[in-house]
mmCIF file of all heavy atoms in Angstrom:
data_model
loop_
_atom_site.group_PDB
_atom_site.id
_atom_site.type_symbol
_atom_site.label_atom_id
_atom_site.label_comp_id
_atom_site.label_asym_id
_atom_site.label_seq_id
_atom_site.Cartn_x
_atom_site.Cartn_y
_atom_site.Cartn_z
ATOM 1 N N CYS A 91 -6.676 -13.906 18.025
ATOM 2 C CA CYS A 91 -5.959 -12.991 18.935
ATOM 3 C C CYS A 91 -4.553 -13.502 19.256
ATOM 4 O O CYS A 91 -4.023 -13.258 20.349
ATOM 5 C CB CYS A 91 -6.750 -12.761 20.220
ATOM 6 S SG CYS A 91 -8.364 -12.002 19.968
ATOM 7 N N GLU A 92 -3.934 -14.223 18.323
ATOM 8 C CA GLU A 92 -2.568 -14.706 18.514
ATOM 9 C C GLU A 92 -1.570 -13.630 18.095
ATOM 10 O O GLU A 92 -1.869 -12.769 17.255
ATOM 11 C CB GLU A 92 -2.330 -15.967 17.674
ATOM 12 C CG GLU A 92 -3.160 -17.155 18.086
ATOM 13 C CD GLU A 92 -2.847 -18.376 17.234
ATOM 14 O OE1 GLU A 92 -1.697 -18.484 16.755
ATOM 15 O OE2 GLU A 92 -3.750 -19.210 17.044
ATOM 16 N N ARG A 93 -0.374 -13.713 18.652
ATOM 17 C CA ARG A 93 0.704 -12.813 18.243
ATOM 18 C C ARG A 93 1.536 -13.471 17.149
ATOM 19 O O ARG A 93 1.827 -14.666 17.223
ATOM 20 C CB ARG A 93 1.591 -12.461 19.435
ATOM 21 C CG ARG A 93 0.873 -11.666 20.504
ATOM 22 C CD ARG A 93 1.856 -10.998 21.443
ATOM 23 N NE ARG A 93 2.714 -11.957 22.134
ATOM 24 C CZ ARG A 93 3.716 -11.619 22.947
ATOM 25 N NH1 ARG A 93 3.991 -10.338 23.146
ATOM 26 N NH2 ARG A 93 4.431 -12.547 23.545
ATOM 27 N N ILE A 94 1.906 -12.676 16.163
ATOM 28 C CA ILE A 94 2.797 -13.131 15.091
ATOM 29 C C ILE A 94 3.803 -12.019 14.831
ATOM 30 O O ILE A 94 3.627 -10.896 15.303
ATOM 31 C CB ILE A 94 2.017 -13.453 13.798
ATOM 32 C CG1 ILE A 94 1.384 -12.171 13.235
ATOM 33 C CG2 ILE A 94 0.956 -14.527 14.022
ATOM 34 C CD1 ILE A 94 0.870 -12.309 11.821
ATOM 35 N N PRO A 95 4.882 -12.297 14.083
ATOM 36 C CA PRO A 95 5.800 -11.221 13.733
ATOM 37 C C PRO A 95 5.094 -10.134 12.927
ATOM 38 O O PRO A 95 4.176 -10.420 12.143
ATOM 39 C CB PRO A 95 6.862 -11.933 12.878
ATOM 40 C CG PRO A 95 6.787 -13.367 13.286
ATOM 41 C CD PRO A 95 5.345 -13.623 13.604
ATOM 42 N N ASN A 96 5.498 -8.894 13.135
ATOM 43 C CA ASN A 96 5.017 -7.790 12.294
ATOM 44 C C ASN A 96 5.734 -7.917 10.953
ATOM 45 O O ASN A 96 6.925 -7.626 10.836
ATOM 46 C CB ASN A 96 5.317 -6.447 12.949
ATOM 47 C CG ASN A 96 4.767 -5.270 12.163
ATOM 48 O OD1 ASN A 96 4.787 -5.266 10.935
ATOM 49 N ND2 ASN A 96 4.305 -4.264 12.872
ATOM 50 N N ARG A 97 5.028 -8.352 9.938
ATOM 51 C CA ARG A 97 5.673 -8.671 8.662
ATOM 52 C C ARG A 97 6.213 -7.446 7.941
ATOM 53 O O ARG A 97 7.138 -7.568 7.128
ATOM 54 C CB ARG A 97 4.713 -9.464 7.778
ATOM 55 C CG ARG A 97 4.527 -10.891 8.278
ATOM 56 C CD ARG A 97 3.615 -11.711 7.409
ATOM 57 N NE ARG A 97 2.210 -11.373 7.611
ATOM 58 C CZ ARG A 97 1.204 -12.056 7.069
ATOM 59 N NH1 ARG A 97 1.449 -13.094 6.279
ATOM 60 N NH2 ARG A 97 -0.052 -11.712 7.304
ATOM 61 N N LEU A 98 5.700 -6.266 8.237
ATOM 62 C CA LEU A 98 6.275 -5.064 7.637
ATOM 63 C C LEU A 98 7.578 -4.683 8.330
ATOM 64 O O LEU A 98 8.498 -4.162 7.696
ATOM 65 C CB LEU A 98 5.269 -3.920 7.665
ATOM 66 C CG LEU A 98 4.062 -4.118 6.739
ATOM 67 C CD1 LEU A 98 3.142 -2.911 6.804
ATOM 68 C CD2 LEU A 98 4.494 -4.382 5.295
ATOM 69 N N LYS A 99 7.697 -4.975 9.641
ATOM 70 C CA LYS A 99 8.996 -4.808 10.305
ATOM 71 C C LYS A 99 10.004 -5.809 9.751
ATOM 72 O O LYS A 99 11.176 -5.472 9.531
ATOM 73 C CB LYS A 99 8.854 -5.011 11.815
ATOM 74 C CG LYS A 99 8.210 -3.861 12.560
ATOM 75 C CD LYS A 99 8.215 -4.115 14.056
ATOM 76 C CE LYS A 99 7.599 -2.953 14.828
ATOM 77 N NZ LYS A 99 7.585 -3.216 16.290
ATOM 78 N N GLU A 100 9.557 -7.025 9.527
ATOM 79 C CA GLU A 100 10.439 -8.047 8.954
ATOM 80 C C GLU A 100 10.870 -7.657 7.547
ATOM 81 O O GLU A 100 12.025 -7.869 7.151
ATOM 82 C CB GLU A 100 9.728 -9.401 8.931
ATOM 83 C CG GLU A 100 9.389 -9.963 10.303
ATOM 84 C CD GLU A 100 10.629 -10.287 11.118
ATOM 85 O OE1 GLU A 100 11.496 -11.032 10.605
ATOM 86 O OE2 GLU A 100 10.734 -9.787 12.262
ATOM 87 N N LEU A 101 9.955 -7.071 6.778
ATOM 88 C CA LEU A 101 10.284 -6.635 5.420
ATOM 89 C C LEU A 101 11.289 -5.492 5.445
ATOM 90 O O LEU A 101 12.206 -5.429 4.612
ATOM 91 C CB LEU A 101 9.007 -6.221 4.696
ATOM 92 C CG LEU A 101 9.129 -5.818 3.221
ATOM 93 C CD1 LEU A 101 9.788 -6.913 2.395
ATOM 94 C CD2 LEU A 101 7.746 -5.478 2.653
ATOM 95 N N ALA A 102 11.139 -4.578 6.400
ATOM 96 C CA ALA A 102 12.102 -3.488 6.537
ATOM 97 C C ALA A 102 13.496 -4.034 6.843
ATOM 98 O O ALA A 102 14.508 -3.569 6.287
ATOM 99 C CB ALA A 102 11.650 -2.523 7.628
ATOM 100 N N LYS A 103 13.583 -5.033 7.716
ATOM 101 C CA LYS A 103 14.879 -5.651 8.030
ATOM 102 C C LYS A 103 15.440 -6.374 6.807
ATOM 103 O O LYS A 103 16.653 -6.358 6.567
ATOM 104 C CB LYS A 103 14.733 -6.612 9.203
ATOM 105 C CG LYS A 103 14.443 -5.943 10.537
ATOM 106 C CD LYS A 103 14.588 -6.915 11.703
ATOM 107 C CE LYS A 103 13.542 -8.002 11.669
ATOM 108 N NZ LYS A 103 13.637 -8.915 12.843
ATOM 109 N N TYR A 104 14.556 -7.031 6.059
ATOM 110 C CA TYR A 104 14.976 -7.734 4.839
ATOM 111 C C TYR A 104 15.678 -6.779 3.875
ATOM 112 O O TYR A 104 16.729 -7.104 3.301
ATOM 113 C CB TYR A 104 13.736 -8.369 4.202
ATOM 114 C CG TYR A 104 13.835 -8.688 2.732
ATOM 115 C CD1 TYR A 104 14.403 -9.881 2.299
ATOM 116 C CD2 TYR A 104 13.327 -7.808 1.781
ATOM 117 C CE1 TYR A 104 14.480 -10.180 0.945
ATOM 118 C CE2 TYR A 104 13.389 -8.092 0.435
ATOM 119 C CZ TYR A 104 13.966 -9.281 0.020
ATOM 120 O OH TYR A 104 14.037 -9.566 -1.321
ATOM 121 N N VAL A 105 15.115 -5.587 3.690
ATOM 122 C CA VAL A 105 15.746 -4.609 2.796
ATOM 123 C C VAL A 105 17.049 -4.099 3.405
ATOM 124 O O VAL A 105 18.088 -4.040 2.732
ATOM 125 C CB VAL A 105 14.794 -3.430 2.510
ATOM 126 C CG1 VAL A 105 15.470 -2.402 1.605
ATOM 127 C CG2 VAL A 105 13.501 -3.926 1.857
ATOM 128 N N GLU A 106 17.022 -3.752 4.670
ATOM 129 C CA GLU A 106 18.214 -3.212 5.334
ATOM 130 C C GLU A 106 19.393 -4.179 5.250
ATOM 131 O O GLU A 106 20.551 -3.757 5.137
ATOM 132 C CB GLU A 106 17.898 -2.910 6.791
ATOM 133 C CG GLU A 106 19.049 -2.274 7.548
ATOM 134 C CD GLU A 106 18.694 -1.942 8.979
ATOM 135 O OE1 GLU A 106 17.581 -2.309 9.417
ATOM 136 O OE2 GLU A 106 19.530 -1.309 9.661
#
Side-chain angles (χ1 to χ4, degrees):
C91 299
E92 295 181 29
R93 295 197 300 176
I94 65 167
N96 183 322
R97 288 181 284 188
L98 291 182
K99 285 184 179 179
E100 296 295 306
L101 184 55
K103 291 192 294 183
Y104 158 85
V105 179
E106 183 178 6

